[in-house]
Amino acid sequence: MFLRSTDMTVAVYSLLHISSPYGRLGWPEYAPYDAIHVGAAAPEIPQALIDQLKPGGRLVIPVGNIFQDLQVVDKNPDGSLSIRSETSVRYVPLTSRDAQLRG
């Protein structure tokens, strides 16, 4: 989840930003990230999120449709990836903007 807020109690600390962009695309203007957590299941790991992860960073994402696994993606210092499945999970789907607007 990407966060941005105009709430002054949050803005004072300037460590938390609340936003609601299209989640599959990430938030490239603030990349690269040390860590990214995705709170909805994607059918596959979105390349845009991997691209926004800094070397040494970690992405945690539920992956799958009916059967889902919580996958941990580590971007190694050389840019290569290490991906492992931690456990079976059940999350709501990460849908497209069009699917959300159709209801």
Side-chain angles (χ1 to χ4, degrees):
M1 176 175 210
F2 303 96
L3 305 171
R4 176 177 292 166
S5 176
T6 56
D7 179 346
M8 289 306 293
T9 60
V10 174
V12 168
Y13 296 99
S14 71
L15 297 175
L16 181 66
H17 297 276
I18 300 173
S19 182
S20 57
Y22 181 46
R24 289 175 190 255
L25 301 178
W27 203 4
E29 51 269 27
Y30 289 98
Y33 297 101
D34 293 309
I36 299 171
H37 172 265
V38 181
E44 58 190 35
I45 301 169
Q47 184 62 46
L49 298 181
I50 292 172
D51 293 344
Q52 292 172 45
L53 196 61
K54 73 168 51 170
R58 176 171 285 174
L59 166 65
V60 179
I61 181 171
V63 178
N65 293 312
I66 295 171
F67 300 101
Q68 301 169 355
D69 289 311
L70 189 64
Q71 295 193 356
V72 177
V73 180
D74 290 309
K75 187 178 267 189
N76 300 313
D78 65 1
S80 65
L81 301 176
S82 298
I83 302 173
R84 69 179 187 279
S85 292
E86 284 295 317
T87 188
S88 295
V89 293
R90 188 71 176 142
Y91 280 71
V92 298
L94 181 62
T95 60
S96 69
R97 182 176 186 275
D98 292 337
Q100 292 173 10
L101 292 175
R102 282 193 306 265

